[in-house]
Amino acid sequence: MGQQEGKEESADRYSLRGKVFHRLREDILSGRYAENEELKEVALGEEMGVSRTPVREALRQLELEGLVTIIPNRGAFVTGITRKDMQDIYAMRALLEGLCARWAVQNITKEQAEALEETVFLSWYHVCKHNAGQLTELDNQFHEILYEACGSKMLKHQLKDYHEYVMRVRKRVLSDNERGREAVQEHRQIMEAIQAKNADRAEELATLHIRNAYANMVKNGIL
């Protein structure tokens, strides 16, 4: 990420509209609001201690992401992420995660490689201790390091969005210790392929990792 880009992203996140947008986005993706539930500007503004203007702007941005539908003269309603959306996200994410791992082979820094290795080591520790909460956090860290290491701000932003979209189901998946153990082993294999500078193998393993996660959800009735 360039310095200027980082400043702009940070400024957006901490602006009034940005705070409201990210809060609502997280609440929708975490399942706080049910599908088709109305998001009332006045109530949301009072809850967050802001006027209706930043709430209205945030809702418009959420509509652009497909998470909210605004019906004229009626209001804003939660669309959320449907089963079909999840299928599409995982299909696209599998290919993009593979590309990300391939590019990481070329662009990863020494510090990022060390952080990736530490994350895998800590993940294995928490799998053995059955610490699902810590494992979810470390899973996030592993993928975020890869997104930074790919060297593409466009790919990073797309993958971060997909990663957040599936946040709720990912927590359920990683609470299954068997899948958690498999996921950490897959992370280790991806890391080792990147360390070996084997771009083809890294891409293949990263793509397979996401497909395995999706197959596990289908098998367990999560999707």
Side-chain angles (χ1 to χ4, degrees):
M1 178 190 292
Q3 192 173 29
Q4 183 61 35
E5 178 201 349
K7 288 179 180 178
E8 290 174 357
E9 183 174 339
S10 177
D12 174 71
R13 181 173 289 272
Y14 292 106
S15 69
L16 203 54
R17 182 200 58 79
K19 286 181 180 180
V20 175
F21 166 74
H22 288 287
R23 165 79 177 276
L24 287 175
R25 189 175 191 257
E26 183 177 337
D27 285 344
I28 291 171
L29 293 175
S30 67
R32 179 184 175 189
Y33 298 112
E35 187 175 349
N36 298 320
E37 182 173 348
E38 184 177 2
L39 298 175
K40 298 180 180 179
E41 291 179 8
V42 174
L44 290 171
E46 290 176 353
E47 179 184 340
M48 298 184 193
V50 300
S51 68
R52 294 178 63 177
T53 300
V55 174
R56 186 179 300 115
E57 292 172 347
L59 290 172
R60 286 172 180 161
Q61 188 171 354
L62 288 166
E63 184 179 37
L64 292 175
E65 291 203 6
L67 297 176
V68 164
T69 298
I70 298 176
I71 302 176
N73 302 318
R74 284 191 56 194
F77 299 85
V78 174
T79 304
I81 300 293
T82 66
R83 183 183 297 268
K84 176 61 165 59
D85 292 334
M86 293 293 290
Q87 293 172 347
D88 293 345
I89 287 169
Y90 269 89
M92 293 184 289
R93 188 180 165 206
L95 297 175
L96 293 179
E97 290 267 359
L99 181 61
C100 179
R102 169 175 285 279
W103 286 355
V105 169
Q106 305 165 6
N107 297 299
I108 195 167
T109 66
K110 181 176 181 291
E111 292 75 16
Q112 288 167 339
E114 290 173 351
L116 206 62
E117 189 166 5
E118 181 181 6
T119 300
V120 170
F121 174 81
L122 289 173
S123 296
W124 187 252
Y125 171 81
H126 286 294
V127 162
C128 294
K129 295 292 184 180
H130 303 275
N131 295 332
Q134 289 88 339
L135 186 58
T136 299
E137 184 177 337
L138 288 163
D139 180 84
N140 288 337
Q141 288 181 20
F142 179 88
H143 287 279
E144 285 173 4
I145 293 167
L146 274 187
Y147 301 162
E148 291 290 344
C150 77
S152 168
K153 67 178 183 181
M154 301 304 294
L155 181 56
K156 181 191 74 171
H157 288 167
Q158 190 66 66
L159 281 169
K160 284 183 72 173
D161 278 346
Y162 286 157
H163 203 60
E164 290 181 14
Y165 287 160
V166 297
M167 175 175 59
R168 182 169 38 155
V169 293
R170 284 181 51 257
K171 287 181 179 178
R172 291 177 61 187
V173 167
L174 291 172
S175 65
D176 173 2
N177 198 61
E178 181 181 352
R179 177 55 199 160
R181 186 178 293 266
E182 291 172 353
V184 175
Q185 290 173 336
E186 290 165 9
H187 282 182
R188 181 185 298 277
Q189 292 174 330
I190 295 167
M191 176 194 71
E192 290 173 348
I194 292 172
Q195 289 175 334
K197 300 296 182 183
N198 189 334
D200 290 340
R201 181 69 172 155
E203 180 174 16
E204 177 186 0
L205 289 168
T207 298
L208 182 61
H209 172 59
I210 303 302
R211 288 176 176 166
N212 285 344
Y214 178 76
N216 180 77
M217 288 188 288
V218 172
K219 182 181 74 173
N220 289 289
I222 298 173
L223 282 180

